[in-house]
Amino acid sequence: MRVLVTGGAGFIGSHIVEELLTAGHEPTVLDIRPPVPGEPFAQVPWVRADIRDPQALARALPGMDAVCHQAAMVGLGKDFSDAPEYVAVNDLGTAGLLAAMVDAGVRDLLLAGSMVVYGEGRYDCLRHGQVRPGPRRVADLDVGRFEPPCPECGAPLVPGLVEEDEPVDPRSVYAATKLAQENLASAWARDVGGRATVLRYHNVYGDRMPRDTPYAGVAAFFRSSLEAGQPPRVFEDGAQRRDFVHVTDVARANAVALAALADRRAGSVRAYNTGSGQPHTVGELAAALSAARGGPAPEVTGAYRLGDVRHITASSARLHKELNWSPRVGFEEGVTRFANAPLRAV
């Protein structure tokens, strides 16, 4: 299969390119960055361009069997001033890609989605059952009340595993753009008879994460601190639940999902959570990384970011049942590997 991997030079994209090569596919990379000498995927066909460049897309897409769309601005960023760039790259870029795919006759799309579309995820109240808590209040966060209460009675809630059919509730600019990408893919599939799969990544970590950038994930923040000999700074109280999934498992999920696209019904879109299925807290990740690297113990700061949600963990049962995918790298093994793995400048 000939596959155009947008963002193929990035953290996740580069691992996907390697996985596709291993599986016998023919990937082509479209990325704003150049190949990095010495990296094993640097010899694949390469189009150096912004995802918003229509001429580059017109050159890259003819002859492709599918597109694996990874190019995006990620993370919470700095503040709302980032919003125009997020929308331009993630949504305008995706719209331009889909239009160019129509012109090139490419009808199979694998989209990098995100768990952020769920907002606070799933919660249960012992009295009221499953509920949807509203945004956390600044007054509560300022005094260290980080857990969202039941919107009906104010009682403590029990976080659970979110499934793909849960209501979406994006609570940041990045989250809004990721949901818009899914909606664009749905409209494209219905309009042209395309086939699309969305992998809603949970907290992906592993080698080649970018260092020292506000657009990286929490695992990269912790590793950057440890590399500088400083303690990882943990926001809130460190009890935030997340699903940390190793990048090699995510790359394999992409290869499996691409192979299955040919069996999908034209005009359809299917979303899959892509996580380990084993929740851990942010504090546990920081402590495990510090121990594995032999660095200073984490510092729990009590600080917070308004765009953060408290708990978001996945059920990846659909991906396992329908595409026969299961994660292979457990938390302890993955964190031990990541503790001394190389990071990237961007």
Side-chain angles (χ1 to χ4, degrees), residues 6-330:
T6 70
F11 163 46
I12 299 175
S14 63
H15 284 275
I16 292 172
V17 170
E18 286 185 293
E19 184 69 27
L20 294 178
L21 288 169
T22 300
H25 299 299
E26 300 176 46
T28 293
V29 170
L30 187 147
D31 200 292
I32 199 167
R33 288 164 290 191
V36 177
E39 290 190 340
F41 55 91
Q43 302 305 314
V44 304
W46 202 284
V47 179
R48 186 182 181 188
D50 191 291
I51 188 63
R52 295 165 288 183
D53 184 342
Q55 294 180 333
L57 292 170
R59 294 196 308 271
L61 281 166
M64 293 295 158
D65 299 303
V67 171
C68 182
H69 184 30
Q70 307 294 315
M73 281 187 69
V74 299
L76 282 179
K78 294 173 291 185
D79 52 44
F80 200 83
S81 64
D82 284 330
E85 189 70 3
Y86 270 104
V87 173
V89 173
N90 294 358
D91 298 338
L92 179 60
T94 298
L97 170 66
L98 294 170
M101 289 173 65
V102 174
D103 292 339
V106 183
R107 295 294 186 268
D108 284 350
L109 172 70
L110 180 58
L111 174 65
S114 175
M115 54 83 179
V116 295
V117 300
Y118 298 116
E120 278 286 354
R122 180 192 174 103
Y123 287 86
D124 291 287
C125 173
L126 295 179
R127 180 179 175 187
H128 293 99
Q130 187 173 353
V131 296
R132 302 285 296 179
R136 295 185 292 171
R137 300 189 310 161
V138 171
D140 289 334
L141 297 171
D142 282 342
V143 296
R145 288 196 294 264
F146 300 121
E147 295 289 343
C150 174
E152 301 293 333
C153 65
L157 298 174
V158 179
L161 299 181
V162 66
E163 297 183 351
E164 291 85 353
D165 295 328
E166 301 280 354
V168 291
D169 185 19
R171 297 191 176 187
S172 67
V173 171
Y174 172 59
T177 64
K178 294 306 289 183
L179 182 57
Q181 283 185 316
E182 292 194 24
N183 291 336
L184 286 166
S186 295
W188 164 84
R190 288 193 298 269
D191 189 64
V192 305
R195 298 176 292 200
T197 293
V198 181
L199 297 182
R200 289 175 178 165
Y201 301 157
H202 282 248
N203 288 72
V204 187
Y205 73 100
D207 59 293
R208 301 185 204 143
M209 288 193 87
R211 63 160 62 89
D212 301 327
T213 166
Y215 305 99
V218 65
F221 293 154
F222 292 162
R223 259 299 314 277
S224 295
S225 295
L226 288 166
E227 205 165 82
Q230 300 171 353
R233 298 184 74 251
V234 179
F235 280 11
E236 302 186 15
D237 58 1
Q240 309 95 299
R241 286 160 53 98
R242 296 291 187 268
D243 186 319
F244 298 102
V245 57
H246 197 267
V247 66
T248 56
D249 282 328
V250 171
R252 191 165 45 81
N254 274 267
V256 169
L258 276 168
L261 268 172
D263 299 325
R264 295 284 308 285
R265 176 175 53 83
S268 65
V269 178
R270 189 71 165 161
Y272 296 92
N273 288 333
T274 308
S276 71
Q278 298 294 322
H280 289 84
T281 68
V282 172
E284 286 172 343
L285 174 68
L289 278 173
S290 294
R293 194 172 170 89
E299 174 188 342
V300 179
T301 67
Y304 63 86
R305 300 186 301 179
L306 278 178
D308 278 334
V309 296
R310 180 60 173 173
H311 305 294
I312 177 67
T313 52
S315 167
S316 297
R318 176 186 290 181
L319 187 55
H320 173 73
K321 179 180 179 181
E322 296 186 7
L323 300 185
N324 197 31
W325 173 91
S326 295
R328 294 175 179 171
V329 181

